[in-house]
Amino acid sequence: MDPAERRYLEDEDSPVVKTMKGATTGFVTGTIFGTIVATWYDVPRVERSVALPGLIRTLKMMGNYGATFAAIGGVYIGVEQLMQNYRKKRDFVNGAVGGFVAGSTILGYRGRSISTAISAGAALAVTSAAIDAGGQTTRIDNGKEYYPYTTKKRSAVDS
């Protein structure tokens, strides 16, 4: 699909719907990531006052990562949409500003320092600008269609 056609299809959603989709995607991704981190790093401890300590710690970690990723996704897409509507342009600058604001506010708040906020914002801005400037996709469309089955007819000899 041509990038111009893809942009046309993306315009069907309103900025609020895109922001909600970004936050939801971030929440799901963060929850999965939190599950992996909890499974990988959480050392089981026995506690008397808590019935299921491992499960409760895992759920807390999933929730923390999910909320953080949801906030980053929502702020990123929201600021990107605001910049796009304000500037009346669709280019890498919108994503870079969205990445910087999302990284500096959300991750800077969690890190509780100005240097963390600036470095996190810069990292997300550079990543977003690099992806957007490189064709606004992380996947290259080579025009081939892949089916889970073969589309060639078998001859009578093959049977």
Side-chain angles (χ1 to χ4, degrees):
M1 180 180 288
D2 185 38
E5 293 174 10
R6 190 178 306 117
R7 286 190 190 117
Y8 176 74
L9 292 174
E10 288 175 355
D11 286 339
E12 292 179 1
D13 292 336
S14 70
V16 174
V17 171
K18 288 181 183 180
T19 303
M20 294 303 293
K21 284 182 179 180
T24 304
T25 303
F27 181 75
V28 170
T29 304
T31 303
I32 293 169
F33 187 73
T35 305
I36 294 168
V37 169
T39 304
W40 191 265
Y41 290 111
D42 195 20
V43 178
R45 293 184 307 230
V46 177
E47 297 176 13
R48 288 182 175 230
S49 61
V50 182
L52 299 169
L55 178 63
I56 291 172
R57 279 195 311 277
T58 300
L59 291 176
K60 283 182 183 178
M61 195 171 287
M62 288 168 57
N64 287 337
Y65 276 97
T68 301
F69 279 46
I72 290 171
V75 170
Y76 171 77
I77 297 295
V79 172
E80 183 184 41
Q81 291 299 307
L82 284 172
M83 289 296 296
Q84 181 178 331
N85 289 338
Y86 177 74
R87 295 178 63 231
K88 305 293 186 218
K89 291 182 182 179
R90 290 185 68 146
D91 57 3
F92 72 94
V93 175
N94 299 336
V97 171
F100 184 80
V101 171
S104 61
T105 56
I106 305 304
L107 298 174
Y109 173 75
R110 288 189 58 113
R112 300 192 190 279
S113 73
I114 299 296
S115 62
T116 302
I118 292 172
S119 60
L124 284 177
V126 167
T127 303
S128 176
I131 290 173
D132 286 347
Q136 295 186 353
T137 183
T138 56
R139 183 174 162 254
I140 298 172
D141 186 16
N142 58 7
K144 294 180 182 177
E145 292 185 29
Y146 297 100
Y147 297 102
Y149 52 87
T150 182
T151 56
K152 294 181 182 178
K153 296 205 181 235
R154 293 181 7 183
S155 64
V157 179
D158 290 340
S159 311

